[in-house]
Amino acid sequence: MIFKKGELFNGPGGFAWGAKHAKVKHPVTNEEFTIEHTWSNDYCDSACDTYIHNICPDRPDTVHRGDVRSLKINELDKIDAFIYGFPCNDFSLVGEKKGFDGTFGPLYSYGIQVLNHHNPKWFIAENVGGLQSANDGKAFIKILTEMSEAGEFGGYRLTPHLYNFADYGVPQSRQRILIVGIRKDLNKEFKVPAPTHGPGREFPYETAFDALMKDPLVADAPNHYIPVHKPRVVEFLKHIPEGQNAWYEGIPEELRLKVKGARMSQIYRRLDRNSPSYTVTGSGGGGTHMYHWEEPRALSNRERARLQTFPDDFVFKGTKEKVRQQVGMAVPPKGAKIILEAVLKTYAGIDYDHIPSKWNIDEMLQKPNMEELVLL
C-alpha cells in the first residue's frame, strides 16, 4: 500500500527523506507499506530548492512556494497522509515565547484546514518542547482539541509525545513534540516506539565523534565550508575545554566576554566527543554556530548536517546562512524514518516495542489547564 503524502512547512526535507526511505513489509502477507510525495509547501525559496533537489527532482511543480496563507488547500491533490512541522518561533523555549500572540503561532491552523478538507488516514505534526507551556499551556490543549475533532470521519486518535532523538540513534540531544494522529474510523492507535539508544538499552548513544570522525568528511563534500575566525576568537576557543562554553573559569580575563544578563549555555560551547551533541539550531549570532571539541573553530554546515543525520549526498541549496537555517530547523531524517515506520507498522497491524506516551490524551482533552494534567 502506498500512502500519498502532503506536507506544509516542508523545510529542506528531513521528514520527507525519512518518508521516502520508510518501508514496512507484512511478515505474513508480504504486503509492502510505503509513502510517496504528492505535494508540499514552504515560503523559503532556498528550502524549496533543497527539497526539490533531494526529494522530487522530477516533479518540481509539486512543491508550492509561498506563504501558506495564500495556498489554495482545497485545490491540492488528494492525499492519504499528512506531515507538518508548523513554525516553532513563537513556541520556542529560547526567545519571547509569544505562542498564539505571535506571528507564527496561529499557522498551525492551516494544518487543521488540510485535515478538514483532505481527511488523510494519518498525520504527524511536529513542534518544539516549548509548545507545551505556551500561553500557560492553553495553546497545546487548543491545538490538540482541534486536531482530535478534525475531518469528516469522527476525528483523530492522537498520541502526543516529547521525543529526544538521541534515544533513537541520532548523535544529538534534540527534544521535539510529535503528535501522531490516526483517523478514528480506522480503529488503530499509534504507540510511541521504544527508545533504542542510551544507558541500559540495546545500543549506546551515537556520539559527536561517531558522526564526524568514524567516516571523515572529504574536503570537497557539499556544504562543507570550514569557517575562518579572527585570531582573537581562535585564541578564545583554545582556552575552552571540550564540553565547556564561553563562561569557563579558566579563560584568561582579557579574553572573557563582557555580557550582562543571562548567560546562555550554548555560547561558544564546544562539543564533547564522547556524547551526543547539543541541539543544532538554525539561527543566532556570534558564539551560536557549534564548536569542534579539538579544532578551535565552528562546525561547517555539512558537519551540522551529519549531527542531524542527513546523508552526505543530501545537498543543501542557498547561501551559507540559508543552509545553516535549513539544517537547524529540520527534523533529523533518521529519527523521522523510525517514527514513520512505526506509523506504517501501526497501519499494517504489526507489533513493535513501545512505551507509554508522555501525556494521557484522554485526560488532556478534558482538562482546561495544562498544569492540571497527569503525566505518565
Side-chain angles (χ1 to χ4, degrees):
M1 180 173 187
I2 300 174
F3 291 95
K4 295 184 177 181
K5 168 185 61 69
E7 279 188 81
L8 294 184
F9 317 109
N10 57 236
F15 242 128
W17 188 96
K20 191 173 184 177
H21 293 83
K23 179 185 294 186
V24 166
K25 179 180 287 190
H26 195 283
V28 177
T29 66
N30 286 327
E31 182 181 6
E32 285 190 347
F33 295 80
T34 57
I35 305 166
E36 179 182 87
H37 164 80
T38 302
W39 53 256
S40 69
N41 162 258
D42 202 287
Y43 77 102
C44 176
D45 274 332
S46 295
C48 289
D49 290 340
T50 298
Y51 190 100
I52 291 168
H53 180 84
N54 296 281
I55 305 301
C56 53
D58 56 335
R59 301 175 62 199
D61 57 310
T62 61
V63 177
H64 302 272
R65 302 170 186 259
D67 194 316
V68 69
R69 288 167 286 202
S70 301
L71 185 66
K72 296 179 180 179
I73 289 173
N74 294 358
E75 297 179 9
L76 296 170
D77 289 345
K78 181 182 178 182
I79 54 172
D80 308 300
F82 176 53
I83 297 172
Y84 80 125
F86 51 101
C88 62
N89 310 56
D90 292 324
F91 300 122
S92 176
L93 293 172
V94 178
E96 299 182 44
K97 291 196 294 184
K98 295 179 180 179
F100 286 147
D101 300 324
T103 302
F104 300 100
L107 295 183
Y108 82 93
S109 64
Y110 291 88
I112 304 298
Q113 289 185 32
V114 172
L115 298 180
N116 284 332
H117 181 78
H118 290 277
N119 298 285
K121 292 181 172 67
W122 55 264
F123 75 88
I124 301 177
E126 179 263 345
N127 209 273
V128 292
L131 173 62
Q132 62 187 305
S133 57
N135 296 98
D136 297 320
K138 296 176 183 177
F140 197 20
I141 297 296
K142 178 176 173 60
I143 289 170
L144 290 171
T145 299
E146 292 188 27
M147 288 177 173
S148 71
E149 297 174 350
E152 302 172 0
F153 294 88
Y156 288 83
R157 176 67 180 174
L158 306 181
T159 306
H161 187 66
L162 181 63
Y163 294 81
N164 185 344
F165 286 110
D167 295 337
Y168 297 90
V170 174
Q172 175 194 175
S173 179
R174 188 181 187 88
Q175 292 196 344
R176 291 293 185 269
I177 291 174
L178 296 182
I179 305 164
V180 178
I182 298 182
R183 257 179 27 202
K184 288 181 179 178
D185 66 303
L186 300 175
N187 295 315
K188 300 177 186 295
E189 182 180 359
F190 176 81
K191 302 289 187 181
V192 178
T196 52
H197 291 67
R201 295 172 182 154
E202 185 177 1
F203 305 104
Y205 280 132
E206 290 289 316
T207 67
F209 183 90
D210 294 333
L212 302 185
M213 300 306 296
K214 279 192 173 179
D215 182 18
L217 282 162
V218 295
D220 61 349
N223 310 117
H224 189 39
Y225 172 82
I226 301 295
V228 178
H229 302 293
K230 294 180 180 179
R232 180 181 175 85
V233 173
V234 173
E235 188 64 24
F236 179 69
L237 288 169
K238 286 180 178 179
H239 286 88
I240 302 176
E242 68 176 279
Q244 297 294 324
N245 58 25
W247 322 119
Y248 176 65
E249 293 183 358
I251 299 172
E253 184 65 33
E254 65 273 14
L255 291 175
R256 292 189 180 186
L257 302 182
K258 311 302 180 191
V259 176
K260 296 181 180 179
R263 295 184 171 187
M264 298 173 67
S265 63
Q266 71 265 37
I267 301 299
Y268 287 107
R269 183 176 172 186
R270 304 189 74 170
L271 297 176
D272 179 346
R273 77 185 78 191
N274 296 314
S275 301
S277 80
Y278 53 96
T279 303
V280 179
T281 58
S283 61
T288 64
H289 290 73
M290 309 190 76
Y291 296 83
H292 200 278
W293 61 82
E294 188 171 41
E295 300 175 31
R297 63 170 178 85
L299 300 185
S300 73
N301 280 324
R302 188 79 260 160
E303 289 170 323
R304 295 189 197 96
R306 275 202 171 185
L307 295 176
Q308 281 276 59
T309 67
F310 281 98
D312 290 347
D313 60 359
F314 191 103
V315 179
F316 293 86
K317 300 293 185 176
T319 65
K320 290 196 297 291
E321 281 305 309
K322 282 294 184 181
V323 171
R324 181 195 174 196
Q325 181 185 65
Q326 293 172 57
V327 172
M329 296 294 284
V331 172
K334 181 176 181 179
K337 181 174 180 286
I338 289 169
I339 303 304
L340 286 160
E341 288 188 339
V343 172
L344 295 179
K345 288 176 183 177
T346 300
Y347 199 87
I350 301 172
D351 290 332
Y352 56 91
D353 290 340
H354 59 269
I355 60 172
S357 58
K358 177 178 172 64
W359 296 284
N360 183 318
I361 187 64
D362 294 323
E363 290 195 16
M364 290 184 78
L365 297 182
Q366 295 173 8
K367 301 287 186 179
N369 194 309
M370 188 71 183
E371 295 176 354
E372 300 177 18
L373 300 181
V374 177
L375 301 187
L376 296 178

